[in-house]
């Protein structure tokens, strides 16, 4: 069918092929990335944060003398893991979990306040150093007092009095 025949009223429509996965259209790579992240164990929690709460090794570190920490203290690792899972799944907030589960004798419902390295258990301090500011560690930490789920709220250098 030539151009004159088309102009004379005969319509020519190309046949549409059904969309197939092998078509030249681009793929939605977000699904692939999500599958890869899941396979690598990267999980996304209720707030869209991925990972395990640990800092990126490439990020530059400012010096500080004190960390403001919260924690949930329990005696059994299995209990600490189940609490961490509840928080990660968004069933309960960190602060609600500290209020409900923490066996901390200080009575501050998990708030430790600003502490220096010599005021905290060395294992607790080292673990807190791995934590991103404003986040919490997904893996409980063992100290002489029991198992801790740690949240670092802030870091700064405090002058000696």
């Amino acid at each position: 069918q030539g151009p004159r025949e088309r102009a004379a009223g005969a319509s020519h429509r190309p046949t549409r092929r059904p969309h197939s996965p092998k078509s030249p259209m681009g793929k939605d790579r977000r699904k692939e990335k999500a599958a890869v992240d899941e396979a690598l164990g990267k999980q996304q929690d209720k707030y869209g944060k991925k990972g395990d709460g640990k800092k990126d090794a490439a990020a530059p570190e400012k010096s500080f003398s004190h960390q403001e920490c919260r924690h949930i203290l329990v005696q059994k690792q299995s209990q600490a893991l189940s609490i961490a899972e509840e928080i990660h799944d968004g069933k309960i907030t960190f602060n609600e979990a500290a209020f409900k589960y923490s066996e901390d004798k200080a009575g501050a419902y998990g708030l430790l306040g600003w502490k220096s390295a010599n005021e905290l258990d060395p294992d607790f301090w080292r673990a807190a150093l791995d934590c991103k500011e404003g986040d919490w560690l997904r893996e409980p930490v063992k100290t002489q007092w029991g198992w801790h789920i740690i949240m670092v709220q802030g870091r700064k250098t405090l002058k000696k009095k």
Side-chain angles (χ1 to χ4, degrees):
Q1 199 176 22
R4 283 189 184 148
E5 292 161 334
R6 262 187 251 136
S11 68
H12 171 69
R13 278 199 160 160
T15 56
R16 290 180 142 261
R17 280 184 265 155
H19 181 69
S20 71
K22 293 182 181 177
S23 72
M25 293 288 292
K27 284 201 259 181
D28 185 357
R29 300 229 184 264
R30 291 175 292 184
K31 291 178 184 171
E32 283 180 16
K33 184 172 179 349
V36 168
D37 284 352
E38 187 177 329
L40 292 174
K42 294 181 183 175
Q43 294 183 335
Q44 188 165 350
D45 66 16
K46 176 181 168 186
Y47 304 103
K49 295 180 181 176
K50 291 189 178 184
D52 53 9
K54 292 185 179 177
K55 294 187 297 188
D56 296 330
E61 185 62 53
K62 291 189 284 184
S63 66
F64 55 89
S65 66
H66 289 69
Q67 299 186 86
E68 184 179 27
C69 299
R70 279 190 172 275
H71 74 140
I72 300 167
L73 172 65
V74 293
Q75 295 308 308
K76 293 185 177 172
Q77 183 183 20
S78 58
Q79 187 181 8
L81 289 168
S82 71
I83 294 168
E85 191 173 321
E86 275 187 57
I87 298 167
H88 187 75
D89 292 344
K91 294 176 184 169
I92 191 168
T93 68
F94 190 95
N95 293 344
E96 290 169 340
F99 188 82
K100 184 175 178 181
Y101 298 114
S102 186
E103 300 169 13
D104 185 8
K105 302 295 184 259
Y109 303 110
L111 181 60
L112 296 173
W114 291 99
K115 299 291 182 188
S116 64
N118 62 356
E119 295 177 281
L120 292 172
D121 183 281
D123 294 327
F124 188 104
W125 180 264
R126 274 193 298 276
L129 290 175
D130 286 340
C131 187
K132 285 187 262 189
E133 199 170 323
D135 206 350
W136 59 282
L137 289 175
R138 309 308 186 257
E139 279 296 313
V141 177
K142 175 79 169 133
T143 69
Q144 61 186 345
W145 290 284
W147 289 90
H148 304 264
I149 302 169
I150 301 171
M151 171 187 263
V152 175
Q153 294 184 296
R155 293 186 171 107
K156 68 181 175 183
T157 298
L158 294 176
K159 293 184 172 50
K160 292 178 183 172
K161 295 178 182 176

